[in-house]
Amino acid sequence: MSKAAKVSRKTFVVDCSDPYNEDPDLIDTTVFASYLKERIKVDGARGNLGDAVKVTSDDQTVSVNAAMPFSKRQLKYLSKKFLKKEKLRDYLHVIATSPTVYQLRFFNVSKGEE
């Protein structure tokens, strides 16, 4: 078999359950998924997904299924850019919880003792 037939697919997940549980209208995962579709680069070009990358979403997660060498770091970068665009970067940050999962979490803010 050729190398093209042995292409492995990896699924990366961005878990938005913390913000969703706080307020379901805080992050719209369909808007987040469309943002990723527009911004993910394939062969150095944006919007060139084709069959190599598929982006899907449900209420609390956004999944990126890639059939090529895909940088998880690019997914984190784009997630942070999306949070900045939506003016949520001051409240949420992106944490890697496993090799294929990122999670959006609130910053821990403790009140000072008085």
Side-chain angles (χ1 to χ4, degrees):
M1 280 197 214
S2 66
K3 287 185 180 182
K6 296 181 183 179
V7 173
S8 63
R9 295 190 78 82
K10 257 194 163 174
T11 301
F12 299 96
V13 177
V14 179
D15 181 13
C16 305
S17 59
D18 277 2
Y20 183 82
N21 292 338
E22 186 72 27
D23 181 11
D25 297 329
L26 194 59
I27 291 183
D28 186 4
T29 55
T30 56
V31 173
F32 186 26
S34 66
Y35 179 84
L36 290 176
K37 285 177 188 174
E38 294 170 4
R39 303 289 174 138
I40 289 177
K41 287 185 178 181
V42 176
D43 296 330
R46 284 182 10 183
N48 185 23
L49 298 182
D51 292 333
V53 179
K54 297 196 183 327
V55 180
T56 58
S57 66
D58 60 13
D59 285 345
Q60 299 182 14
T61 61
V62 176
S63 301
V64 178
N65 190 328
M68 51 168 270
F70 183 77
S71 173
K72 181 180 165 190
R73 185 93 181 132
Q74 181 186 16
L75 187 58
K76 181 175 183 176
Y77 172 77
L78 291 173
S79 299
K80 288 165 73 173
K81 293 272 285 186
F82 177 76
L83 291 175
K84 184 73 171 176
K85 180 182 155 238
E86 298 291 318
K87 296 179 178 60
L88 296 171
R89 186 77 179 102
D90 293 337
Y91 311 107
L92 296 169
H93 59 139
V94 184
I95 301 289
T97 55
S98 76
T100 58
V101 177
Y102 277 120
Q103 187 173 24
L104 299 181
R105 291 189 186 165
F106 286 100
F107 284 110
N108 289 335
V109 178
S110 60
K111 296 185 179 180
E113 295 181 23
E114 294 181 24

